[in-house]
Amino acid sequence: MDGEKLLLALYLAGLAAWLPPAGAIAADTVQLRTGAKQTMEATLYKPAGAGPFPAVLVLHTSGGLRPPDHAYASKLADEGYVCLVPDFFKAYGLSQGNRQQTFTTHGQSIYADFVAAIDMLKKMQGVQADRIGAVGFSNGGYWALLLAANGQIQAGVSYYGAVTGAGTDKSLQAFQTAFTDNSSPVLVLHGARDTTVASQNAEFLVSMLKKANVPHEFRLYPSAEHSFERGNMDSEAAADAWERTLRFLNATLKKKR
């Protein structure tokens, strides 16, 4: 298999993991710019209909923005959520090799960009301004948790979140100071066999949530590794995580007023 065919095969394999169910209505997509300076490229997924709808930030891994992120947002849009998918690594010239800078050199700026993206969603026609959440994967999971901790969103979901900031905060100090009894609910999904972010870190985070009386749910998948719904596919864990995420978001963002 030549290089181009291999890349195409990998693309299709990643996309297939999150294809919408048969009969689903494909979400409308819009390319835009977001962030504090409106320079961060992003894709907006809009459900069919006028709304208003709750909205969700979908935040990628340290591998950068990939087809599974777009497919996940499209699938979530089919469930009635406006989804904004920012390419925050491209905006700061980040890659797997210098991912630590996400949490150090560029940490404050990236956080400010996400807050600006949330404000953008709040002002959009067809969006329920008081029903904004975030779903993040690994690197993005860190930010989904931090945004929920600080009350910037109403719900946060972390898939195998990089809670130590790629090793820059092994004591999870950022979360120890951010999570309080005023924080928003979070859902923590992690693999017990994760060798990238050890499961002990997720369990340590959950102990903080309990201590701070933060509403939370935690699921540790016994056989799952890091990236269990994409690169290290564990179909059982991936399916359960999707169902848990949907129930959690429906309960926190679609609950009756």
Side-chain angles (χ1 to χ4, degrees):
M1 182 179 291
D2 61 33
E4 289 187 0
K5 290 182 179 178
L6 177 59
L7 287 175
L8 178 60
L10 290 172
Y11 177 94
L12 293 175
L15 188 60
W18 286 111
L19 284 175
I25 300 173
D28 290 332
T29 60
V30 178
Q31 302 300 314
L32 48 76
R33 291 183 180 272
T34 190
K37 298 180 180 179
Q38 298 291 292
T39 56
M40 184 178 289
E41 295 177 6
T43 304
L44 183 73
Y45 289 81
K46 301 167 65 178
F53 302 102
V56 176
L57 276 180
V58 177
L59 304 175
H60 63 69
T61 74
S62 291
L65 187 58
R66 293 289 185 266
D69 302 304
H70 287 293
Y72 191 99
S74 179
K75 188 177 179 182
L76 199 54
D78 286 330
E79 297 291 341
Y81 292 89
V82 173
C83 291
L84 184 63
V85 189
D87 191 345
F88 62 97
F89 261 36
K90 183 177 180 180
Y92 288 90
L94 293 165
S95 66
Q96 186 76 31
N98 64 353
R99 65 190 183 282
Q100 289 85 357
Q101 292 183 22
T102 315
F103 313 101
T104 55
T105 307
H106 304 297
Q108 290 185 350
S109 297
I110 289 173
Y111 183 83
D113 283 334
F114 291 153
V115 171
I118 293 164
D119 288 339
M120 172 185 283
L121 285 170
K122 289 178 179 178
K123 296 172 184 176
M124 282 185 181
Q125 184 176 0
V127 170
Q128 293 176 280
D130 61 344
R131 303 294 174 89
I132 310 291
V135 177
F137 303 86
S138 192
N139 192 311
Y142 173 100
W143 296 108
L145 289 168
L146 194 60
L147 290 166
N150 291 325
Q152 296 290 346
I153 52 177
Q154 283 68 61
V157 181
S158 169
Y159 278 68
Y160 43 91
V163 293
T164 65
T168 63
D169 183 12
K170 294 180 180 180
S171 65
L172 278 62
Q173 186 62 37
F175 295 115
Q176 290 195 53
T177 56
F179 275 114
T180 69
D181 56 5
N182 291 318
S183 296
S184 297
V186 294
L187 170 62
V188 180
L189 305 165
H190 214 89
R193 297 185 179 181
D194 195 324
T195 56
T196 301
V197 182
S199 60
Q200 292 93 324
N201 294 304
E203 292 171 324
F204 183 30
L205 174 76
V206 171
S207 72
M208 293 180 201
L209 299 175
K210 292 178 179 177
K211 185 176 181 180
N213 294 315
V214 177
H216 67 278
E217 296 178 29
F218 176 48
R219 174 58 173 155
L220 186 66
Y221 297 104
S223 63
E225 236 281 13
H226 201 70
S227 301
F228 59 75
E229 42 56 82
R230 50 183 75 187
N232 295 313
M233 174 59 74
D234 183 318
S235 57
E236 185 175 342
D240 182 83
W242 167 254
E243 293 299 329
R244 285 177 186 271
T245 298
L246 203 55
R247 286 198 302 268
F248 176 77
L249 293 178
N250 287 345
T252 52
L253 301 182
K254 288 187 176 182
K255 60 187 177 183
K256 294 181 181 179
R257 295 178 184 276

